[in-house]
């Protein structure tokens, strides 16, 4: 105050105006804060439904393959399968992957198959889609403790491996995912080394249950599920089923695998689904089936023990986890 | 009355905005819009909200000192109670979904998993603070002792951030975000404390 002369009455705000202004300010603060709080919550809440826009894939009927699903296990909705993905190249937020992978270019594509083989070759997308496709309804168990039932479309990996004729010294198969920082800018937040690499023992790779999947729900794979072609190993934790494969290499030793490199104490090479071998930070005895309340007991080898247990005869699965 | 002195307005505003996320979770749950894995979403959201309110309570002092917003002090206990409220929600979600109400397994889980122990420890420290959050309790304990007890908030916040850091698989973006904010808030207090100590130690004319 420069001078202490009384304020002339003409300068005094009439009470009504004052009240109105006060009311207006309060209303604005109410509206602003509510919008901000709700907006923040919304930013973190799950995204909208994902639609199945793939092209249809013709499948052939097969007999003699038991994927042994109990009658009480329902196939998960497309939106569950295609709207909730671990694909760290695009995002570590499982609900955000579908949107982030929307513009991922999967055509042209090539898968380079080499290493200890007699006939190394590169398969382009058309050649991959030429294999006779079958539909396989498998359980899918994530190491995080959730699971789904997924109707994959694809072909047994053994068909592709037989074409390149593995040499007698080959004991393992290494896989590598596509990685391109330009197409996957958020991969800098992944917290794991990329490109993603995985591996199987040759007998696991040749097992009739092991698929190279090119589709689900009768249509080509959505980008977020590992288009155009991904591995599916139903008796192992999901991270073994490497997405968007660009390289398959036959080797004579155990190949390095991404999660084992990132955290060797928590993720082993084998990573077979096993209710009696816990993850160091959580139990694996139960799982949450997406779409169900409560939890269900986890099955040995994810319910495929009958078909795969012989692969591990005499092995201590706690040691080879 | 100035808006900055309108305590009942502040109270209503803070109360409503603090409750809003819980209401939205309930509404979304009722509409079936909690995503593919609702259990995971509720667990994560309540956990993050606990940390958010812990950070807000710790922001009151710096904001008062730096911006002169002394009116915030009257809302601090409400913010703290919201941290407790969401922490309790987080704990109940864990007991319901992670433990399937098998309460006898909780002790073993705390023993087996350090990050669970961290979270549990932080929550248990919040209990005495929530219990003593009434005016009557401040009188009973005496302001000095009450303030001393409520400095547990620092340890609760540190425990909460470490608990978050220990559960993520590889992407520590969000735990790091909270860790940086907490480091700033605690760092501010350390610096202020050192300044105080220095001015107290300075020779004074008598």
């Amino acid at each position: 105050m420069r001078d202490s002369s009384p304020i002339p009455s003409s300068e005094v705000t009439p009470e009504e105006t004052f009240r109105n202004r006060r009311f207006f300010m309060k209303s604005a603060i109410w509206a602003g804060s509510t919008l901000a709080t709700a907006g923040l919550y919304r930013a973190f809440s799950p995204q909208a439904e994902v639609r199945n826009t793939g092209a249809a894939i013709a499948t052939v009927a097969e007999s003699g393959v038991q994927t042994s699903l109990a009658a009480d296990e329902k196939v998960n909705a497309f939106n569950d399968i295609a709207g909730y993905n671990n694909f760290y190249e695009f995002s570590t937020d499982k609900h955000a992957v579908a949107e982030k992978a929307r513009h991922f270019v999967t055509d042209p594509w090539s898968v380079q198959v080499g290493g200890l083989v007699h006939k190394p070759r590169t398969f382009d997308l058309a050649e991959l889609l030429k294999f006779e496709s079958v539909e396989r309804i498998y359980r899918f168990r994530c190491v995080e403790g959730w699971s789904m039932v997924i109707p994959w479309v694809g072909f047994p990996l053994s068909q592709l491996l037989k074409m390149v004729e593995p040499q007698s010294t080959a004991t393992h198969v290494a896989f590598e995912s596509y990685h391109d920082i330009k197409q996957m800018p958020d991969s800098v937040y992944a917290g794991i080394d990329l490109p993603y690499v995985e591996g199987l023992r040759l007998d696991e790779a040749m097992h009739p249950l092991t698929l190279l999947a090119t589709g689900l729900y009768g249509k080509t794979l959505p980008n977020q599920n590992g288009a155009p072609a991904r591995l599916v190993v139903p008796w192992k934790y999901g991270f073994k089923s490497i997405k968007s494969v660009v390289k398959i290499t036959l080797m004579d030793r155990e190949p390095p695998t991404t999660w084992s490199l990132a955290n060797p104490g928590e993720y082993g090479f084998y990573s077979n689904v096993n209710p009696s071998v816990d993850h160091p930070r959580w139990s694996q005895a139960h799982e949450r089936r997406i779409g169900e309340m409560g939890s269900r007991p986890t099955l040995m080898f994810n319910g495929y023990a009958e078909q795969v247990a012989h692969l591990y005869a005499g092995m201590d699965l706690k040691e080879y986890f | 009355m100035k808006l900055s002195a309108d305590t009942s307005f502040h109270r209503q505003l803070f109360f409503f905005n603090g409750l809003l996320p819980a209401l939205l979770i309930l509404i979304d749950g009722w509409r079936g819009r909690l995503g593919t894995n609702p259990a995971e979403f509720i667990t994560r959201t309540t956990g993050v909200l606990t940390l958010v309110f812990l950070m807000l309570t710790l922001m009151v002092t710096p904001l008062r000192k730096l911006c002169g917003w002394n009116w915030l002090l009257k809302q601090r206990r409400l913010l703290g109670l919201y941290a407790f409220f969401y922490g309790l929600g987080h704990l109940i979600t864990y007991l319901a979904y992670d433990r399937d109400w098998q309460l006898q397994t909780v002790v073993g889980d705390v023993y087996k998993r350090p990050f669970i122990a961290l979270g549990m420890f932080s929550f248990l420290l919040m209990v005495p603070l929530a219990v003593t959050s009434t005016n009557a309790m401040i009188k009973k304990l005496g302001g000095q002792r009450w303030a001393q007890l409520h400095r547990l908030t620092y340890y609760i916040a540190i425990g909460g951030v470490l608990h978050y850091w220990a559960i993520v698989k590889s992407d520590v973006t969000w735990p790091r975000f909270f860790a940086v904010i907490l480091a700033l808030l605690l760092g501010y207090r350390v610096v202020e404390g050192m300044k105080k100590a220095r001015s107290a130690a300075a020779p004074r004319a008598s």
Side-chain angles (χ1 to χ4, degrees), chain B residues 79-206:
Chain B
L79 292 172
L81 278 170
Y82 268 128
F84 177 74
F85 169 75
Y86 285 110
L88 184 65
H90 187 61
L91 177 71
I92 288 169
T93 318
Y94 157 81
L95 294 176
Y97 289 121
D98 197 89
R99 298 287 98 196
D100 274 321
W101 294 119
Q102 308 284 310
L103 301 189
Q104 71 279 7
T105 65
V106 171
V107 175
D109 202 35
V110 166
Y111 180 74
K112 215 162 89 175
R113 303 195 276 171
F115 86 91
I116 292 281
L118 268 169
M120 203 65 80
F121 171 76
S122 306
F123 176 78
L124 290 175
L125 286 185
M126 276 206 278
V127 175
L129 305 201
V131 169
T132 57
S133 66
T134 60
N135 287 331
M137 272 305 214
I138 299 181
K139 276 211 186 73
K140 205 166 158 183
L141 285 171
Q144 199 89 48
R145 280 177 62 210
W146 188 88
Q148 234 166 11
L149 174 68
H150 281 250
R151 279 191 202 114
L152 283 177
T153 308
Y154 304 144
Y155 303 101
I156 295 165
I158 292 167
V161 170
L162 289 176
H163 165 72
Y164 192 15
W165 198 296
I167 185 61
V168 296
K169 276 200 314 189
S170 73
D171 180 358
V172 292
T173 309
W174 284 106
R176 191 185 285 143
F177 168 83
F178 282 109
V180 167
I181 289 185
L182 183 62
L184 288 171
L185 291 170
L186 295 182
Y188 169 83
R189 286 168 170 84
V190 171
V191 170
E192 287 293 298
M194 279 173 12
K195 275 191 198 157
K196 248 199 202 126
R198 209 173 302 153
S199 63
R204 254 174 292 179
S206 53

Side-chain angles (χ1 to χ4, degrees), chain A:
Chain A
M1 295 284 281
R2 271 173 308 158
D3 60 337
S4 54
S5 57
I7 299 162
S9 61
S10 61
E11 299 257 313
V12 176
T13 315
E15 194 184 358
E16 205 171 330
T17 316
F18 176 82
R19 276 170 193 265
N20 282 346
R21 192 184 300 162
R22 174 56 32 102
F23 175 77
F24 177 77
M25 271 178 72
K26 279 189 179 180
S27 308
I29 292 170
W30 267 115
S33 69
T34 305
L35 280 173
T37 307
L40 269 175
Y41 169 82
R42 273 281 157 262
F44 288 93
S45 68
Q47 307 301 308
E49 292 249 325
V50 184
R51 295 194 193 297
N52 192 357
T53 54
I57 302 180
T59 55
V60 296
E62 56 178 345
S63 59
V65 178
Q66 275 292 326
T67 60
S68 65
L69 283 176
D72 68 333
E73 293 186 50
K74 282 213 314 276
V75 176
N76 276 86
F78 177 82
N79 186 53
D80 290 343
I81 301 166
Y84 189 74
N85 315 91
N86 273 317
F87 202 161
Y88 281 24
E89 287 86 336
F90 290 107
S91 171
T92 55
D93 172 359
K94 289 190 278 291
H95 285 289
V97 172
E99 183 51 41
K100 300 253 185 193
R102 185 190 288 266
H103 303 294
F104 180 40
V105 179
T106 57
D107 183 8
W109 193 268
S110 64
V111 182
Q112 207 185 323
V113 188
L116 301 173
V117 297
H118 291 294
K119 297 183 175 168
R121 61 173 284 190
T122 299
F123 292 83
D124 65 19
L125 187 55
E127 288 167 319
L128 286 176
L129 295 174
K130 254 201 264 182
F131 283 90
E132 257 192 358
S133 290
V134 295
E135 174 161 90
R136 294 269 182 90
I137 298 171
Y138 284 153
R139 292 183 199 89
F140 182 91
R141 170 65 154 80
C142 179
V143 75
E144 293 166 0
W146 53 268
S147 64
M148 297 189 191
V149 174
I150 304 179
W152 297 108
V153 174
F155 55 90
L157 179 69
S158 59
Q159 290 180 11
L160 183 144
L161 292 176
K162 279 174 190 153
M163 280 174 82
V164 296
E165 295 178 18
Q167 295 171 12
S168 59
T169 48
T171 57
H172 289 81
V173 188
F175 302 86
E176 188 178 302
S177 282
Y178 183 87
H179 180 238
D180 171 14
I181 200 87
K182 283 201 286 295
Q183 285 210 70
M184 301 155 159
D186 285 12
S187 64
V188 294
Y189 304 115
I192 49 177
D193 278 341
L194 297 169
Y196 193 90
V197 291
E198 256 306 337
L200 295 172
R201 229 167 49 188
L202 185 56
D203 57 351
E204 295 174 325
M206 294 296 283
H207 193 280
L209 287 183
T210 305
L211 284 191
L212 199 62
T214 52
L216 60 86
Y217 259 108
K219 293 181 173 176
T220 51
L221 271 185
N223 292 347
Q224 60 272 28
N225 294 89
R230 70 171 291 170
L231 187 68
V232 177
V233 194
W235 69 93
K236 292 176 181 281
Y237 292 119
F239 65 87
K240 295 294 291 182
S241 297
I242 183 171
K243 292 184 165 104
S244 305
V245 176
V246 291
K247 213 188 253 180
I248 299 176
T249 312
L250 281 280
M251 301 172 71
D252 57 5
R253 70 194 80 107
E254 195 175 281
T257 59
T258 292
W259 279 103
S260 308
L261 292 169
N263 205 331
E266 295 190 357
Y267 307 97
F269 174 78
Y270 285 93
S271 294
N272 290 314
V273 176
N274 188 335
S276 58
V277 176
D278 284 347
H279 185 281
R281 287 183 286 151
W282 54 85
S283 158
Q284 296 289 27
H286 291 85
E287 64 200 56
R288 183 160 311 285
R289 177 63 51 83
I290 298 298
E292 287 180 2
M293 292 300 283
S295 69
R296 44 168 74 227
T298 288
L299 305 168
M300 188 65 200
F301 295 117
N302 206 20
Y304 302 101
E306 211 176 300
Q307 295 99 314
V308 302
H310 68 274
L311 298 171
Y312 310 101
M315 277 176 68
D316 177 357
L317 297 177
K318 276 200 168 62
E319 187 186 341
Y320 296 99
F321 63 97

